[in-house]
Amino acid sequence: MAAPKEDNLKKIIGHSKEYGFVFQSSEIYDGLSAVYDYGQMGAELKRNIKDYWWTAMVQMNENIVGLDSSIFMHPTTWKASGHVDAFNDPLIDNKDSKKRYRADVLIEDHVEKYRLKIKKEVAKGFKRFGDDFNEEEFLKTNPNVKRNQDKIDDINGRFKTAMDADDLAGIKTLIEDLGIVCPISGSKNWTDVKQFNLMFATEIGSVADSANTIYLRPETAQGIFVNFLNVQKTGRMKIPFGIAQIGKAFRNEIVARQFIFRMREFEQMEMQFFVRPGEEMKWYEHWKEQRINWHKSLGIPQEKYRYHDHIKLAHYANAASDIEFDFPMGFKELEGIHSRTDFDLKQHEEFSGKKLQYFDPEVNKNYVPYVVETSVGLDRTFLAILSSAYTEEKLENGTERTVLKLPAMLAPYKAAVMPLTRKDGLPEKAREILNELKFDFNCQYDEKDSPGKRYRRQDAIGTPFSIMVDHQTLEDNTCLLYTSPSPRDS
Ligand code: GAP
C-alpha cells in the first residue's frame, strides 16, 4: 500500500538532509523557521533548474533578454506597486500562549477537519463496496458527506465575504463562532484580527529614521518594470518582447511550514512580456501553454499538473491562472501566469514622474505596453522535481533502495566513476577517465565501500550513469556502464 502523502513529505525532508540537498538554516542554533540552505547536492540541482529555465526562456526566444536587478530598490517602488499598502496577511494572536497565527490559516485548518471526515467516509465506502464503489455518486448522495460539505461551503462563503469587505471583525467573529482554539494553549482568548505587511524592512545608511526605510524585495518583477525602458532602448527591443530574471525574494511569512514550499527567503524565476494593448489575451494564452509545456518537459507525469484559473482577479489583472502541482501536501500553486495590463508601468510613471512608453513604428503611436507575467518559484520547482523523483523500491532479495529518478539534465552528477578495487592501478585509471569527463560533465569519483553500496549511493542522489573501471579496462580501455537504478545490488 502506498504511504500517506504527508509521510512522503517527511521522507523527502529526511532524504534531503541525509544526502546534502537541503539543510535547515543555522541548524547548530536550532534553525531559523522557514529559512533553508541548499547543500552540496541541492546547490547543483538548483543551478541546473535555473539553467534549464534560463535556456528555455532567454536562449530559445530571440525576443527575450535577461536582467539581474538589485534586491534593494528605491522605497517609492513599493508604494507604486501597491505592496506598502496592500501586501498583507490577516493575523490574530492568542492572549494566553502569545502565539501569532494567520487568521485565514486557522480557518483553513478548521475546514480541513471536515475534509478529513469526508475522506474517512469515502475510505469506508471503498472498504464496503470494493470495485463497485462509485466515488462520484457517493460524494453527491451520502448524507454524512453532504453535511460536512455544507459546513465547508458555509465557512468558506463567510470567510470570502469578510475578506472581500476587509471586515477584520467579521473574521474574528467567524473564528469565535467556529470555536477555534489555540493549538498551544487550548484557549479561545483571541486578540482582534490585524493586517500584517509581509515585507521585511530595514534601514539604509547609518541613521535609523523612517525616511531611510528600505525593503527587501518581495518579488523580482518590480526590478524588471523599472528597467523596462533601459532594456528596451539599449537592447533595441521591439514589442512584443520579454525580460527574464532569476533572483531572491523575501516575505515575512507567518505560517512557516511545508518545508521549502513556503519560505521567508526564496527564489523566483520571472518573465515580464511587454505587448501591444489589446493583444494581451493572445499572449496570456500563449504563455499559459508554453509554461505548462516547460514543466511537462521535465518528464513528470502530466496528471501531476493542472491549471487553476482565477475567478476573482486582483484589481490590476484582466486574467490570471496558476499552474498547480500535486505536491506531497496536495495540489498547490507552483507558478502564476498573470495578464497585468498596464497597471505597474502606469503606477511607476505616476510615482516617478517619468514616461515609461514605447513608440510603436507599426502603428505610429506611443503607448504604455501591457504585460503578461510568468512567475515560478525556484524552490517550489525544486520540491516538485524532488518529490516526484523520490522512489522507494523493493528488490527481489528483500532489500530496499531509494532511487531519485531525476531527469539526467538536472542530476547533480551526470556520472560516477568508480574503480572496482583500490589497488592494481584501477584508481589511477578511473581518475584518468574522470579527468577527461570533468571538462564537460559534473562527475563524482567514488572508491569507498563495496560496489553495491556505491551504486545505492548514486541511485539515492539521482546520478544517471555509473562507470565501473575493472581489470579489463586496463587491458582494452573498456568499462562497465550502468544506468540508474543500477541492476546490481551487490
Ligand atoms: N510577481 C508575481 C508574484 O510574485 P506570487 O504568486 O506572489 O506572484 C510567484 O509568487 C511564485 O513565487 C509562486 O507561484 C510561488 O512559486 C513562489 N512563491 C511565492 N511565495 C513563496 C514563498 N513564501 N516561498 C516559496 N515560494 C514562493
Side-chain angles (χ1 to χ4, degrees):
M1 209 170 77
K5 291 180 112 198
E6 305 79 55
D7 288 356
N8 280 343
L9 184 61
K10 280 193 200 133
K11 284 183 183 173
I12 288 158
I13 296 171
H15 191 83
S16 295
K17 181 165 182 207
E18 188 179 346
Y19 288 93
F21 282 88
V22 183
F23 305 126
Q24 179 77 58
S25 159
S26 334
E27 195 188 69
I28 59 167
Y29 296 105
D30 295 332
L32 184 63
S33 152
V35 187
Y36 291 90
D37 297 338
Y38 287 83
Q40 67 281 13
M41 290 298 134
E44 294 292 343
L45 174 55
K46 205 174 169 198
R47 201 168 60 89
N48 293 340
I49 298 171
K50 283 194 223 184
D51 285 350
Y52 190 61
W53 183 86
W54 192 266
T55 306
M57 300 301 278
V58 180
Q59 196 172 321
M60 293 293 150
N61 290 289
E62 51 184 276
N63 60 350
I64 300 184
V65 290
L67 180 77
D68 185 3
S69 70
S70 353
I71 286 169
F72 289 139
M73 298 182 71
H74 193 286
T76 312
T77 310
W78 306 109
K79 221 33 214 154
S81 67
H83 284 84
V84 170
D85 295 321
F87 196 51
N88 299 322
D89 273 343
L91 292 193
I92 191 164
D93 292 357
N94 183 268
K95 290 184 197 161
D96 299 317
S97 67
K98 311 268 182 272
K99 285 274 168 203
R100 175 162 286 184
Y101 299 93
R102 252 175 72 176
D104 56 328
V105 172
L106 282 179
I107 294 167
E108 228 172 69
D109 286 351
H110 188 82
V111 165
E112 195 55 33
K113 288 184 193 154
Y114 297 116
R115 287 219 176 89
L116 277 178
K117 284 186 186 170
I118 293 177
K119 269 193 191 160
K120 274 193 188 150
E121 291 295 335
V122 171
K124 272 199 248 164
F126 261 119
K127 214 168 161 190
R128 206 163 140 212
F129 299 109
D131 286 346
D132 295 334
F133 182 64
N134 181 339
E135 185 175 342
E136 211 176 302
E137 193 56 29
F138 183 82
L139 287 173
K140 275 194 231 148
T141 52
N142 180 280
N144 290 341
V145 170
K146 283 184 73 186
R147 204 178 43 252
N148 284 309
Q149 189 58 49
D150 285 348
K151 282 184 189 160
I152 294 174
D153 294 344
D154 177 55
I155 298 168
N156 284 345
R158 281 182 67 186
F159 177 66
K160 190 173 173 306
T161 310
M163 282 300 279
D164 287 350
D166 210 10
D167 174 13
L168 299 182
I171 293 175
K172 184 179 179 191
T173 309
L174 179 58
I175 289 174
E176 286 169 342
D177 289 353
L178 296 174
I180 294 176
V181 297
C182 165
I184 309 281
S185 67
S187 92
K188 298 178 194 165
N189 198 5
W190 296 109
T191 61
D192 288 341
V193 177
K194 283 181 289 229
Q195 289 288 18
F196 173 83
N197 193 285
L198 294 183
M199 282 197 295
F200 284 100
T202 184
E203 282 99 34
I204 199 159
S206 55
V207 193
D209 107 22
S210 69
N212 296 327
T213 298
I214 192 158
Y215 300 98
L216 298 189
R217 68 180 175 199
E219 61 170 12
T220 62
Q222 298 304 325
I224 294 180
F225 288 124
V226 300
N227 277 297
F228 153 72
L229 261 196
N230 284 339
V231 173
Q232 189 273 318
K233 289 218 158 96
T234 56
R236 292 173 293 117
M237 306 301 293
K238 284 201 172 62
I239 269 179
F241 75 91
I243 305 178
Q245 159 153 253
I246 300 176
K248 290 263 182 177
F250 303 83
R251 295 182 189 178
N252 198 359
E253 301 281 1
I254 296 310
V255 176
R257 58 181 186 187
Q258 297 171 332
F259 192 37
I260 54 172
F261 180 81
R262 193 175 302 286
M263 301 158 87
R264 295 199 167 115
E265 175 180 342
F266 58 99
E267 268 185 272
Q268 291 183 316
M269 304 189 286
E270 297 202 295
M271 193 275 297
Q272 316 296 132
F273 201 69
F274 300 91
V275 305
R276 197 178 280 162
E279 293 190 354
E280 70 276 10
M281 290 319 288
K282 178 180 89 183
W283 289 109
Y284 169 72
E285 293 302 334
H286 170 86
W287 283 110
K288 252 179 92 171
E289 198 188 329
Q290 290 288 310
R291 292 304 305 146
I292 205 154
N293 287 344
W294 181 85
H295 289 285
K296 288 178 182 169
S297 73
L298 296 168
I300 296 174
Q302 312 240 342
E303 61 271 18
K304 288 272 198 178
Y305 297 96
R306 71 179 185 199
Y307 289 119
H308 171 240
D309 292 331
H310 292 207
I311 297 163
K312 186 173 182 300
L313 295 169
H315 59 283
Y316 52 78
N318 60 5
S321 183
D322 294 337
I323 294 174
E324 293 188 337
F325 183 77
D326 190 8
F327 287 101
M329 317 75 78
F331 270 100
K332 298 216 176 267
E333 178 185 340
L334 171 63
E335 169 155 8
I337 294 116
H338 312 121
S339 173
R340 298 182 67 123
T341 67
D342 54 1
F343 173 82
D344 301 86
L345 290 180
K346 278 225 166 112
Q347 286 290 103
H348 288 305
E349 274 199 329
E350 190 185 323
F351 279 75
S352 68
K354 311 264 163 45
K355 284 224 171 306
L356 292 175
Q357 300 194 355
Y358 171 80
F359 176 72
D360 190 333
E362 282 179 38
V363 288
N364 202 22
K365 224 164 75 174
N366 273 310
Y367 56 76
V368 176
Y370 271 42
V371 173
V372 175
E373 163 184 78
T374 71
S375 175
V376 59
L378 175 55
D379 312 86
R380 286 190 191 178
T381 308
F382 186 103
L383 182 59
I385 290 167
L386 200 64
S387 59
S388 70
Y390 181 88
T391 322
E392 287 174 356
E393 291 181 349
K394 251 208 158 56
L395 300 176
E396 274 174 13
N397 64 7
T399 59
E400 278 192 10
R401 69 178 172 198
T402 304
V403 185
L404 267 195
K405 297 188 171 170
L406 292 173
M409 75 262 187
L410 299 183
Y413 291 118
K414 305 303 181 220
V417 187
M418 314 169 176
L420 183 63
T421 64
R422 275 196 261 184
K423 49 185 201 258
D424 303 336
L426 297 185
E428 290 76 9
K429 187 72 191 168
R431 285 204 182 277
E432 216 180 89
I433 295 172
L434 179 82
N435 285 337
E436 266 193 49
L437 288 176
K438 73 183 182 192
F439 290 95
D440 298 306
F441 305 102
N442 196 23
C443 298
Q444 190 178 48
Y445 176 80
D446 192 2
E447 62 173 23
K448 197 170 171 286
D449 298 322
S450 70
K453 275 195 183 157
R454 285 183 265 169
Y455 290 136
R456 287 297 84 83
R457 259 200 309 265
Q458 296 303 330
D459 287 340
I461 59 173
T463 308
F465 297 107
S466 292
I467 296 166
M468 179 58 80
V469 171
D470 62 8
H471 294 89
Q472 186 76 32
T473 316
L474 299 180
E475 282 173 29
D476 58 10
N477 257 343
T478 60
C479 51
L480 295 164
L481 177 70
Y482 290 108
T483 52
S484 177
S486 123
R488 294 169 38 158
D489 59 352
S490 62

